[in-house]
């Protein structure tokens, strides 16, 4: 049954709206720890607030883009200090929470659209690539690092872009395969994701990357941490590509 649009009951309290948003939450299957336990619940609160303010999902997406874009711009232009790191991390984390809020709001209000999905994916694709280029600029401008270390953010950008595109493409091919079989495009799942899996894929969670920038002002900690996250993401990508390829081979043309 499709969720009842929130506009049917404009006098709902914040708690009531949050409760209904929770009922419309997409499955946590495969979700990494930060997204599962922090970002989506926080996004639910922001989605409820956005509804009560009369905002549309696209307006929430634009707000997310502005916050994330500001954080990325500051990362590239300001000297890495403790204050800069906390500010950048805060902007990126809040932007990511709003990124979770727009989809939740769209699903529950029934106001989702192709244009809205397109806008959301374009914003995500842009920040996925550009954030690591901002790290590259920061490394080059402000830190006295061996030249080879500049390859780390370049590699991270490549890994992140391939990861993002592969996720989106795999999702689209699954939808096409299910449509050809007459099955639901996104079959519902109430089964919770295994906790161990959410922890194992945590290094690949964009939210963890956002939080890591709080250590930007301590290069002796941030640079090794950022490098480890890049390596972990590369390993997770390789494992995911193998799994997705095997899955795609099960689909008929």
């Amino acid at each position: 049954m499709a969720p009842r649009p929130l506009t049917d009951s404009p006098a709902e309290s914040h708690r009531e709206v949050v409760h209904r948003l929770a009922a419309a939450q997409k499955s946590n299957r495969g979700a990494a720890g930060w997204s599962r336990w922090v970002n989506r619940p926080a996004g639910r609160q922001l989605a409820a607030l956005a509804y009560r303010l009369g905002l549309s999902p696209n307006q929430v997406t634009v707000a997310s883009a502005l916050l994330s874009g500001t954080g990325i711009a500051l990362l590239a232009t300001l000297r890495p200090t403790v204050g800069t790191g906390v500010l950048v991390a805060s902007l990126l984390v809040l932007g990511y929470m709003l990124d979770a809020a727009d989809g939740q709001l769209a699903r529950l209000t029934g106001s989702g659209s192709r244009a809205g999905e397109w806008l959301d994916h374009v914003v995500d694709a842009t920040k996925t690539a550009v954030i690591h280029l901002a790290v590259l600029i920061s490394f080059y401008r402000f830190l006295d690092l061996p030249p080879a270390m500049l390859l780390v953010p370049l590699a991270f950008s490549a890994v992140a872009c391939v990861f993002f595109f592969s996720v989106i493409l795999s999702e689209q091919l699954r939808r096409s395969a299910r449509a050809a079989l007459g099955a639901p495009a996104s079959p519902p799942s109430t089964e919770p994701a295994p906790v161990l899996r959410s922890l194992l894929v945590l290094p690949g969670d964009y939210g963890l990357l956002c939080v890591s920038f709080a250590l930007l002002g301590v290069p002796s900690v941030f640079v090794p941490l950022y490098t480890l996250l890049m390596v972990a993401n590369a390993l997770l990508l390789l494992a995911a590509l193998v799994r997705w390829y095997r899955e795609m081979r099960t689909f008929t043309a």
Side-chain angles (χ1 to χ4, degrees):
M1 179 181 295
R4 178 170 55 90
L6 285 171
T7 49
D8 289 350
S9 49
E12 285 179 301
S13 69
H14 181 88
R15 177 178 297 180
E16 291 170 330
V17 176
V18 170
H19 177 73
R20 294 182 55 204
L21 282 165
Q25 173 70 58
K26 64 182 180 181
S27 171
N28 277 321
R29 294 294 299 178
W34 179 271
S35 292
R36 177 181 179 181
W37 295 310
V38 179
N39 205 62
R40 288 180 182 175
R44 193 177 307 140
Q45 298 291 332
L46 292 175
L49 178 61
Y51 163 67
R52 291 176 62 79
L53 292 175
L55 300 179
S56 69
N58 284 355
Q59 288 174 320
V60 176
T61 300
V62 170
S64 171
L66 290 174
L67 286 169
S68 297
T70 301
I72 292 171
L74 295 178
L75 172 61
T77 56
L78 296 183
R79 183 170 295 279
T81 64
V82 172
T84 299
V86 172
L87 177 59
V88 168
S90 299
L91 289 169
L92 293 176
V93 167
L94 184 55
Y96 190 39
M97 290 175 176
L98 286 172
D99 184 35
D102 60 3
Q104 294 187 57
L105 183 59
R107 281 190 297 274
L108 192 54
T109 60
S111 58
S113 65
R114 296 289 186 184
E117 185 177 6
W118 178 88
L119 178 63
D120 185 54
H121 286 333
V122 168
V123 170
D124 288 345
T126 301
K127 72 184 182 186
T128 295
V130 174
I131 191 170
H132 298 292
L133 300 183
V135 174
L136 173 64
I137 293 171
S138 180
F139 280 5
Y140 179 78
R141 292 185 63 195
F142 303 116
L143 301 183
D144 184 18
L145 296 173
M149 285 301 301
L150 299 180
L151 297 176
V152 174
L154 287 176
F156 211 153
S157 180
V159 168
C161 288
V162 173
F163 219 140
F164 178 81
F165 178 78
S166 298
V167 168
I168 298 300
L169 178 59
S170 298
E171 182 179 296
Q172 293 300 321
L173 291 175
R174 287 189 199 98
R175 288 181 182 177
S176 297
R178 289 175 183 137
L181 295 173
S186 299
S189 174
T190 57
E191 182 182 357
V195 172
L196 180 58
R197 189 187 190 287
S198 292
L199 293 175
L200 287 176
V201 298
L202 180 59
D205 197 319
Y206 176 77
L208 183 62
L209 174 66
C210 294
V211 173
S212 73
F213 287 108
L215 298 171
L216 185 66
V218 190
S220 61
V221 176
F222 175 75
V223 174
L225 174 61
Y226 180 80
T227 303
L228 287 174
L229 286 176
M230 185 277 291
V231 173
N233 274 262
L235 294 175
L236 288 171
L237 173 60
L238 289 175
L241 289 176
V242 172
R243 178 168 56 85
W244 290 331
Y245 178 71
R246 289 174 177 172
E247 179 187 1
M248 295 305 128
R249 291 188 63 183
T250 66
F251 297 151
T252 57

